[in-house]
Structures are given as structure tokens and as C-alpha cells.
Amino acid sequence: RDSQQAETERLSRWKKWRRTSSKSLKKAVSEVKGWSSYLVLWQRDIHSIEGKFGTGIQSYFSFLRFLVLLNFIIFTFMFSFVTLPIIISKNGMFNSTIAYISPKNIEDNCTIYEPTGNKGLVYFYTYLKDLFSGTGFLEVTSLFYGYYTVDAVWISVMRYNLPLAYLLATFAYLALSFLWIVKRSVEGFMQNLVHDADPFQSYCNKVFAGWDFCITDPNAARLKHRSLQYELQTDLQEEKLKQKIAERTMKEKLRIYSLRIFINIIVLAILSGCFYSIYRVTVFSQENSNVSIRNDTRTDSANLLVQYLPSMVITLANFIGPQIFSFLIRFEDYTPAFEIKLTLMRCVFIRLANIGVLMFSLWSQISDCGADKCKPCGYNYKLYPCWESDVGQEMYKLMIFDFIVILAVPLFLDFPKKLLVTHCSCKLIQLFGQQEFRISDNVLEIIYGQTICWIGTFFSPLLPVIATIKYFIIFYVKKIILIHTCKPATRPIRASGSNFFFLVVLLIGLLLAFIPLGVSIAHIPSSKACGPFRNFNTSWEVIPDTILEFPTVVQQILFSMASEAFAVPFFMIICIVMFYFIALARAHKRVVEQLREQLV
């Protein structure tokens, strides 16, 4: 320090000022970063959960926070580029006008669409029914696709192409979701690689480099103590299980493998039963609800029950399936981290395939062209005059019913169970004990809801704001359940592997959402009675139609980029780049192994 001060005295005033200002700026940036950490959503809550229940459960709440932010950004996209221009033009702001779509070369039968909006004196019960089913007054609002029957919005002299904006906003939110999930997955994968390193090295890192010396608050220190304790406990638990697996005799191995085969047969039977039940119920609901609409033979309550039947059966399968899988996994003798992964994969088949079965059933009804039902319009226009709004209503009902179940389970199951275990000394009740927070079930709940949101946003542009509010409330509901009804896990779970796997399952949900959206945009004819694409055969046709308005040179460039002559060389270049990075990764891996040997 003395030598530095002596050097400083010899510096010019300009250099002294630059050095002082640089130090001051670094200090100010550091303080701003410290204060900005308080602005991060639920930062203190998540740190508290990490200290009390470990990093495994903390990873679930961090994942929930990520979905809240993702849905809010998706909502911002759709609202800014689709809903807001219509609101501005309808109110005449910024000297704007609106141009509604007039049918071109379309038969009159295809353009008949009469939404069941409430007219005259309406009972309060009818409003509640509409709120839960997405029909009535909600059907004619900006929540659903049918509201956006607009060709263009004129703001002063600028023409805003709404059909193109609608389709590009859909592609934008899907691309954003994909890139953000991949980015977070890569971060989790790198952490996973570090934790999969030599256990001795991992243990040394925790003991010698695990403490945060910036901690000055006693409460924060206690939380850090607990966090390190859970990490070490997880390491020891996994080492103990590995040792136990290594010491198994041939007889024990045969017994365990036979038991696992038998349990997997039971799992396959449960999955098959769920899929078949959902398919039959969905077909029954579609046929009977359509009959009741035509003939008006049922009461409102019966119609609502028939409409909600697929949602009820899907939610029931989603609730019972994971409970059975969580019970069966205990007998298969896996590590805690692998238990979560296997249970998640089994539950994924139930939850995500359920949505696929529902979409397949809806498509079969929409494209049901027996007896020339689809001849004028290309789809079953008599039952589905605006089929996109009908699909949006199904997604809306699934999301609302899923939210109701998530709120009802703690109220009617978790809290009564906690009271019985605490205040009743009956051996049968005490046998169940205080429940643990099952990460796999809770993660699948929110991934299932997010997949519904991704699929439904094209048909219901404001669905992401409902998902944002839903996840925001779920965070506090799950936090209350965790603190007041759950105990810390007897078998701790590491966060790094869990975080990576949660994102992989979320990515599977996103890729599944691409399939129904791709079919709906590029294959099924768009409704001729509503929506921004009524004058196009499919929603995708707005892209080539817009390109034809460009100058000839730009058209040639874009069409050549879409040709095979461009695609084949581009694919070959991508393959060469990929092989280069694979070779580079292998070289880095060898260097890392040499460095580890030197460290030992």
C-alpha cells in the first residue's frame, strides 16, 4: 500500500482524477447491483426456502418464477402487436381507423357466425357459467380469436397489417420461449457437469470454498449453514446408495430387476387406461355438446358439465396418475435424483399426451367431412363456424379447471391432513405422517399448464396474462403449503440436476406445442366467418401473400432461400460447424481430465 501511495503521488492530476473516478464508479456499480438484488421477484422468499428446505425445493420455486416472467413477456408480445393496435383504432387515437375484413370469393354459408353473446336481462348465474366456459359475453371479447376479424389498422397514413402481425407474434413468442429455455438449460447442464465430477473434488469445493464471506447478517448466515448442510447431506446420501448398489448380491439384483419389470408393466397399464378413457370421454363430450346446442335439449348446468367433462377427466388422470407413480417408485430403489427424473417422465406421458388426445379429437370433429359437410368451406362449418375460438375455449377451460384443482387440493386435502396428524393420536392417522413436498408432481402441474398456454395463445391471445396471474398466486399457495403442512425431505435432492431436468421436460412440452400449432396454421383451413385469416385458405398463406407485395428482387431472394438449392448447402454447412464444435468439445474434455489429474 505504501508503494502504491508513493506511485500515486508521482502521477499527474489528470491520472489521479481518472484513477479516483474509476474507483468511485466501480463502488457505485457494486452498490447498485447490491440494491438491484432486492428488486428481483421473490428473491428473499426463495433464499429463505433454500435455507429451510434445501436447494432441491428451492429449484422448484425458481422455476416457477421463470415461468411467471416468461408468460408476462409473451403477454406483452401479443398485447402490443395484436390487441393494442385494435384498441387504439377503435378509440380513434393518433388519427387511426380500422378496416374490417370483407369476405372475398367465399360462400355465404361459410360466413355465418353468431356468437352466443348475452342479450337483454341476464342472470348472475349465466355470467358465472360464461366465466368458467369462455362462452357468452367472453366469446365476443379480445380474449378469443374471433374478435380479431380485422384486415388492417390505419395509424395516420401508415397501414398496419394485422393478419401478418398476428402470425409473426405467434412465431416470436414460440422462438423466444425456445431460445430462453435452451439458454437456461445450457447453464444447468454446465452446473450438472461440475456436480458429476469426482465426488472428492465436489466435497473439497464445499468445505474449502463453499462459504460466502460477504454474509454479515446472522439470519443469512443460518440460511447458508442449512444450505451447505443439505448439499453435504445429499452427497453422503448418494454415496451411501452407490455403495449399497455395489455390494448387492446376484440374488438381490434379480429380485430388484424383477420387481422393476413388474412395476413398469403396471405403469404401462395405467397409462393405456388413462389415454383410452380420455379419448372416449372427449369424443362423447364433443358429440353430445354439439347435439345439445343444435336441439337445446339440456339445461345450462347439464351443458356446462358436458363441456367440462374432458377437462375433469384429464385433471383426474393428472391427479391420480402421479400419486400412484410416486407410491410405486419407492419400491424400485433408485437414487433421489433419478426417482424425480423417472417419475417426471412417467407423468409427462400422462399430462402432455392428454393434451395431444384432446387436440386430435377436436381436429377429427373439425375435419369431419362425412356426407359433404366440409365441401363449401373445407371444414365442418355447421358445428364449428369459428373453430379457432372453439379450440381457444377448450384451452381456456383446461387452464381454469387446472387452477381450481391446484387451489382446492391444499384446502380440502393438505390442511385437513396436517390438522389430523398434529392433533389426533390415532395410530392409523399417524401412520401416514407429515407429508413431504413432492417436487415431481408440482413441476408437472406447472409444465402441463404452460404447455396449454403455448398451444392456446394462438387461439386466445390474452391467455398468457391468465397464466401469469395463475402462477403468481400458485407461488404463494405452494409457499404456504410448504411452510405449514410439509416437512423437509428425508432424502434431500440436489438442485443442479433437478433444474436441468425441469427445463428439459419444459422443452418437451414446448416441442409438443409446435405440433398442434403447426397443423392448425399450415394444414387446417382457417375459419371463413371470423378471425384475421378469413380470406386466406390457411393462416400460413399470409406469408407468401405479403412477400408478393415486395419488390421483384427481394421476392427472388426470399423464394430462393426457401428452395432446395439453398436448403441443401445450408444444411451441409450447419453439419460441418456442428462436427467442428463436437471435436472442440472432445479436445476440451481431454484438457479438463489432465487438469483434474494435476489438481489431485
Side-chain angles (χ1 to χ4, degrees), residues 273-310:
C274 287
F275 295 161
Y276 182 74
S277 301
I278 291 159
Y279 173 75
R280 295 305 308 167
V281 165
T282 306
V283 170
F284 172 82
S285 171
Q286 289 296 307
E287 290 175 352
N288 285 270
S289 61
N290 289 334
V291 168
S292 66
I293 288 167
R294 285 200 306 268
N295 302 329
D296 196 24
T297 56
R298 286 195 179 93
T299 62
D300 286 342
S301 302
N303 281 333
L304 186 63
L305 184 64
V306 170
Q307 288 176 27
Y308 256 94
L309 206 55

Side-chain angles (χ1 to χ4, degrees), residues 334-352:
Y334 292 117
T335 59
F338 189 75
E339 273 190 15
I340 287 182
K341 292 173 184 177
L342 186 59
T343 307
L344 270 172
M345 289 311 296
R346 287 170 176 172
C347 296
V348 161
F349 281 106
I350 282 190
R351 290 180 180 266
L352 301 187

Side-chain angles (χ1 to χ4, degrees), residues 37-75:
S37 65
Y38 289 100
L39 301 176
V40 177
L41 185 64
W42 298 322
Q43 184 82 346
R44 297 184 69 181
D45 292 321
I46 289 173
H47 277 316
S48 175
I49 288 165
E50 180 184 359
K52 291 176 182 176
F53 296 93
T55 53
I57 290 173
Q58 171 262 334
S59 67
Y60 164 77
F61 286 92
S62 298
F63 185 61
L64 194 57
R65 177 175 62 186
F66 163 66
L67 290 184
V68 168
L69 296 173
L70 177 65
N71 281 300
F72 181 74
I73 291 170
I74 292 173
F75 160 70

Side-chain angles (χ1 to χ4, degrees), residues 576-594:
I576 292 167
V577 172
M578 186 178 70
F579 286 132
Y580 165 74
F581 279 109
I582 289 170
L584 197 64
R586 286 176 180 169
H588 286 166
K589 189 177 180 182
R590 285 196 295 272
V591 172
V592 168
E593 286 172 357
Q594 290 172 3

Side-chain angles (χ1 to χ4, degrees), residues 70-205:
L70 177 65
N71 281 300
F72 181 74
I73 291 170
I74 292 173
F75 160 70
T76 306
F77 260 102
M78 296 304 290
F79 182 79
S80 302
F81 294 106
V82 177
T83 310
L84 188 60
I86 294 180
I87 293 172
I88 289 171
S89 59
K90 283 192 173 181
N91 290 288
M93 299 165 68
F94 307 115
N95 194 23
S96 59
T97 56
I98 193 165
Y100 290 97
I101 300 175
S102 55
K104 296 176 184 176
N105 303 321
I106 300 171
E107 290 198 23
D108 293 338
N109 291 338
C110 302
T111 60
I112 298 169
Y113 174 50
E114 297 175 355
T116 56
N118 300 319
K119 296 175 183 177
L121 183 63
V122 180
Y123 293 107
F124 179 70
Y125 163 80
T126 308
Y127 280 113
L128 279 179
K129 179 184 76 69
D130 293 343
L131 191 65
F132 283 106
S133 63
T135 55
F137 77 95
L138 271 182
E139 191 174 353
V140 294
T141 63
S142 56
L143 181 61
F144 293 110
Y145 173 95
Y147 174 82
Y148 300 92
T149 310
V150 174
D151 182 49
V153 172
W154 289 91
I155 301 173
S156 188
V157 293
M158 187 181 72
R159 182 178 182 272
Y160 186 79
N161 189 337
L162 191 80
L164 181 65
Y166 197 105
L167 194 62
L168 292 181
T170 302
F171 293 155
Y173 82 74
L174 291 172
L176 171 73
S177 302
F178 180 77
L179 293 173
W180 200 354
I181 293 168
V182 167
K183 181 180 178 294
R184 287 179 66 97
S185 299
V186 168
E187 291 170 2
F189 182 67
M190 289 192 291
Q191 290 178 10
N192 216 17
L193 283 177
V194 172
H195 281 294
D196 287 342
D198 182 18
F200 175 74
Q201 188 180 348
S202 175
Y203 178 76
C204 290
N205 286 341

Side-chain angles (χ1 to χ4, degrees), residues 8-44:
T8 306
E9 288 173 2
R10 290 195 293 271
L11 294 173
S12 64
R13 289 184 180 180
W14 168 247
K15 287 185 177 179
K16 282 181 183 178
W17 180 83
R18 280 181 60 189
R19 182 173 288 188
T20 306
S21 60
S22 175
K23 285 182 180 178
S24 301
L25 182 64
K26 285 179 182 177
K27 188 177 179 181
V29 168
S30 177
E31 287 179 357
V32 168
K33 284 182 179 178
W35 282 107
S36 65
S37 65
Y38 289 100
L39 301 176
V40 177
L41 185 64
W42 298 322
Q43 184 82 346
R44 297 184 69 181

